[in-house]
Amino acid sequence: MIYMNMRNFLKPGDFVMMVPLGLHTTLQYNSSGNLEKVYIGYDSNRTDYTGDMIELMLRDNIVPAKIHITGGTSWVRGVLYTGSFYSVQGKLPNAVKPKLISEFIKKSDSFNFFAGTFESTSIVLRGATAVRQCLAMAKFKILPGWFVPFVVSETTLKEWLNSPKYTFMPIVTDYIIYRKEDANIISANLTQIIVNKVAKYVDHNGYVKGRIIIENSANIMYVDYSEVVRLNIQRGSAVVLNSEKQVAFCKNLTKVKEYSNILTCTHCGKRYEIPKAGAVLCPDVHCSSRLLKHILQVINIMHLPEFSNEVIFDWLKSNKVTCIPDIFLLDVYKDFNIDIQLSDLIRALVPISLIPRDDLFLSLAIACSDNVNTFRYYIRNPDKIKSDLGFRHKDLDKFITWLSDNCNYSDLNTLLNSSQICFISAKKKFEGAPIFRNKTIYLTGTFIRGSISEIASILQSYSAVVTTQFTNAVDCVLTGGTHENIDGKTVRAARALNKPIMSEDDFFKQYDIDTDLESNLE
């Protein structure tokens, strides 16, 4: 049956890739060539898993952190694969998707990423050979593939499956064809629909989408608007879908007018060019159409009353909210007084997608002695953070770049000066004996028992002063138990000054801190 389907569909010169059972994954690289987004799924059916997966991928070197293609947005589609066996019910590959995502988050080092396709707004690659050469130059592992010979036989399929290139388990969920005629990636399992109507709209995340209505309003497909324009999908078009219900290609049965590739943002009025493929989003990073997820982040971290996405999007569409501080001018929030730590305010404003971990903000607040005036000075003069404070962090340059944007600086400074914001000292984990009163403890490295923020709250429970800036006032140096990211220069300086240097395990054992932690959890 498989052979018959392939023989009827394949043409000489087509390119076939074998795709193993795994997570269909799309990687998005920005104009600097850096990985910025991770999606599960392809095109319009993809879901953003950046927050859960990008750090693990980069930590375990599963995918390249940077590619050589710059000057535009690029997308690499492929499969996250692991050799584990699964027993599930339902249609593959979706039946195993939740289990695979859960396993990846728990044990990402057991996965490999195999790339299949590459698209970019900065260059055009034609044909499978050019695509695979580009992927190889970017240091991706590549899905095995073959050009279809002039005569397709059952022997051909057996040779492909038994090829030494094919290193996966012998489980194939789909046959992906690179058609040289239109340079689209399509599946051998096809269905065709006739389009009744096409409408353009903006979703809650600010993406411009196409709503394709089939037969009646009860049967609707949602695709990136770039697909609508690129394939010229209009009323009466015959659209072919692959097994994932994605648009493979479109044939217009009658002559129709081409779409314009220029859009005007309905929120800010900016005119911009539609990308050749992928998501369509206003390129102005401060356009109110892109504010929804940032507003949700602020509401969540500041523990404000929550509203539905629809309500928040109405605020944006009506221009009641054009920047983050506008939230606090709304009737529903204008009378709120918010008690918050300085580090949490910074965390609320800086996108999690840019800096996922919180320890930068706590460390920076500690370096400023939790003093708002000191912090206000250094956000006005970010180039002095390193020189004055001796502050080092792998994400500091990202934060300084974020601050260099006048809109971001204005939002942060406005909230620092807001009468609705009341800054409080860092929270204690529990009320412990003041055994470290008037003692300053310097933290460095990655800790077993939690983030820098969590370790600081534990030590502050014993009345310690916690710092990430080493000075002569430091009474003790505490190093993380993983032995990673420890500032060796500081440790040598502390040793020269005869400062006590203790590892995490020894410190917690000597002061019986784990016992206090357990008793306060009960």
Side-chain angles (χ1 to χ4, degrees):
M1 184 65 181
I2 292 175
Y3 161 62
M4 292 298 295
N5 287 341
M6 293 186 65
R7 185 183 63 181
N8 293 337
F9 183 79
L10 296 177
K11 296 179 182 178
D14 287 345
F15 190 80
V16 178
M17 284 185 289
M18 295 298 184
V19 181
L21 182 65
L23 287 172
H24 291 185
T25 305
T26 301
L27 307 176
Q28 180 173 309
Y29 290 83
N30 62 21
S31 58
S32 300
N34 295 316
L35 179 64
E36 65 173 358
K37 293 283 185 183
V38 176
Y39 299 95
I40 297 301
Y42 303 140
D43 301 316
S44 59
N45 292 324
R46 69 192 187 188
T47 303
D48 193 338
Y49 274 83
T50 304
D52 294 325
M53 303 181 79
I54 191 169
E55 187 175 355
L56 298 173
M57 283 187 163
L58 297 180
R59 183 195 70 187
D60 295 330
N61 296 315
I62 295 171
V63 300
K66 187 178 179 68
I67 61 174
H68 60 289
I69 304 298
T70 58
T73 303
S74 301
W75 297 271
V76 176
R77 297 180 183 89
V79 177
L80 266 175
Y81 171 78
T82 180
S84 301
F85 286 85
Y86 296 98
S87 176
V88 296
Q89 293 183 340
K91 183 179 179 181
L92 295 175
N94 288 334
V96 297
K97 185 164 74 172
K99 188 180 287 283
L100 285 171
I101 292 173
S102 175
E103 180 167 335
F104 179 84
I105 293 172
K106 292 177 182 176
K107 194 176 180 182
S108 56
D109 60 357
S110 66
F111 282 73
N112 281 306
F113 177 79
F114 293 87
T117 72
F118 179 91
E119 288 182 273
S120 179
T121 58
S122 62
I123 62 170
V124 177
L125 298 175
R126 300 198 178 278
T129 300
V131 168
R132 292 169 76 80
Q133 286 175 346
C134 181
L135 291 172
M137 288 179 63
K139 308 299 183 183
F140 282 98
K141 297 176 182 177
I142 303 174
L143 289 169
W146 303 269
F147 284 99
V148 177
F150 184 78
V151 176
V152 181
S153 66
E154 188 172 4
T155 302
T156 305
L157 176 58
K158 289 180 178 178
E159 287 176 352
W160 289 345
L161 289 173
N162 295 323
S163 168
K165 291 182 181 179
Y166 198 77
T167 56
F168 309 113
M169 290 189 303
I171 301 176
V172 181
T173 63
D174 217 344
Y175 296 88
I176 306 299
I177 315 302
Y178 196 104
R179 293 187 62 84
K180 61 181 181 179
E181 296 95 322
D182 51 23
N184 288 328
I185 304 302
I186 61 179
S187 163
N189 302 313
L190 303 177
T191 57
Q192 179 175 293
I193 61 172
I194 302 299
V195 176
N196 211 26
K197 183 181 178 182
V198 178
K200 179 178 64 178
Y201 74 103
V202 180
D203 72 7
H204 289 156
N205 290 314
Y207 291 100
V208 182
K209 298 285 189 179
R211 184 186 284 114
I212 300 175
I213 300 173
I214 308 157
E215 296 175 354
N216 56 64
S217 59
N219 197 350
I220 302 175
M221 283 184 57
Y222 301 94
V223 299
D224 289 329
Y225 193 67
S226 59
E227 292 294 290
V228 174
V229 175
R230 181 172 68 87
L231 299 172
N232 199 28
I233 302 172
Q234 301 195 24
R235 180 177 181 180
S237 297
V239 173
V240 177
L241 308 178
N242 62 19
S243 61
E244 300 272 325
K245 300 304 179 185
Q246 300 163 343
V247 177
F249 56 86
C250 168
K251 183 176 182 180
N252 286 306
L253 306 179
T254 58
K255 189 174 182 180
V256 290
K257 184 178 178 180
E258 296 284 340
Y259 287 98
S260 168
N261 69 338
I262 301 295
L263 276 183
T264 299
C265 178
T266 56
H267 283 251
C268 68
K270 179 177 176 61
R271 288 174 61 79
Y272 60 94
E273 186 174 347
I274 300 171
K276 294 176 183 176
V280 180
L281 187 65
C282 178
D284 185 344
V285 294
H286 298 295
C287 177
S288 58
S289 66
R290 304 176 66 157
L291 271 179
L292 175 70
K293 60 183 179 182
H294 299 311
I295 292 173
L296 292 172
Q297 181 176 319
V298 169
I299 289 174
N300 177 57
I301 292 174
M302 292 191 173
H303 304 294
L304 296 171
E306 297 181 359
F307 292 89
S308 67
N309 289 0
E310 288 74 15
V311 170
I312 297 174
F313 208 60
D314 283 341
W315 298 342
L316 299 173
K317 287 193 292 185
S318 61
N319 289 321
K320 290 180 179 178
V321 175
T322 58
C323 62
I324 293 298
D326 285 349
I327 299 172
F328 302 96
L329 302 178
L330 296 167
D331 290 340
V332 292
Y333 294 132
K334 67 181 182 180
D335 296 325
F336 268 80
N337 292 315
I338 301 160
D339 294 331
I340 194 170
Q341 294 179 56
L342 177 58
S343 58
D344 287 339
L345 177 69
I346 313 169
R347 168 72 286 174
L349 290 185
V350 179
I352 292 175
S353 57
L354 176 67
I355 303 178
R357 296 176 57 178
D358 299 343
D359 59 328
L360 166 67
F361 312 116
L362 177 79
S363 299
L364 186 56
I366 291 173
C368 293
S369 301
D370 253 344
N371 186 299
V372 175
N373 287 331
T374 302
F375 179 69
R376 189 181 288 115
Y377 172 83
Y378 284 107
I379 66 170
R380 288 198 307 267
N381 303 278
D383 55 311
K384 296 184 178 181
I385 293 176
K386 293 180 181 178
S387 59
D388 285 9
L389 302 177
F391 188 77
R392 298 289 184 272
H393 192 283
K394 67 175 185 178
D395 290 330
L396 179 58
D397 288 338
K398 290 182 183 179
F399 179 62
I400 291 175
T401 300
W402 181 85
L403 271 179
S404 67
D405 186 303
N406 288 333
C407 291
N408 295 333
Y409 169 80
S410 176
D411 286 354
L412 180 54
N413 195 49
T414 298
L415 292 187
L416 286 173
N417 295 317
S418 171
S419 60
Q420 292 178 254
I421 304 292
C422 178
F423 292 100
I424 58 177
S425 300
K427 296 177 181 177
K428 296 181 177 181
K429 186 80 171 179
F430 51 84
E431 287 297 330
I435 58 176
F436 300 134
R437 179 174 291 160
N438 299 324
K439 298 296 183 182
T440 299
I441 301 176
Y442 169 82
L443 304 181
T444 181
T446 302
F447 289 81
I448 297 171
R449 291 165 177 81
S451 65
I452 288 278
S453 174
E454 291 167 322
I455 299 299
S457 68
I458 293 171
L459 298 180
Q460 285 159 349
S461 301
Y462 299 103
S463 302
V465 176
V466 181
T467 182
T468 57
Q469 178 188 3
F470 184 77
T471 66
N472 286 341
V474 167
D475 295 295
C476 175
V477 172
L478 179 58
T479 61
T482 65
H483 305 295
E484 297 176 355
N485 303 315
I486 294 173
D487 188 338
K489 183 178 179 181
T490 298
V491 172
R492 288 192 295 273
R495 188 174 290 119
L497 294 171
N498 293 318
K499 303 284 186 182
I501 301 169
M502 298 188 68
S503 68
E504 178 183 355
D505 283 335
D506 289 343
F507 186 90
F508 275 66
K509 183 178 180 179
Q510 178 169 326
Y511 295 102
D512 204 20
I513 295 176
D514 286 329
T515 301
D516 285 347
L517 286 173
E518 291 173 5
S519 63
N520 280 279
L521 287 175
E522 294 175 355

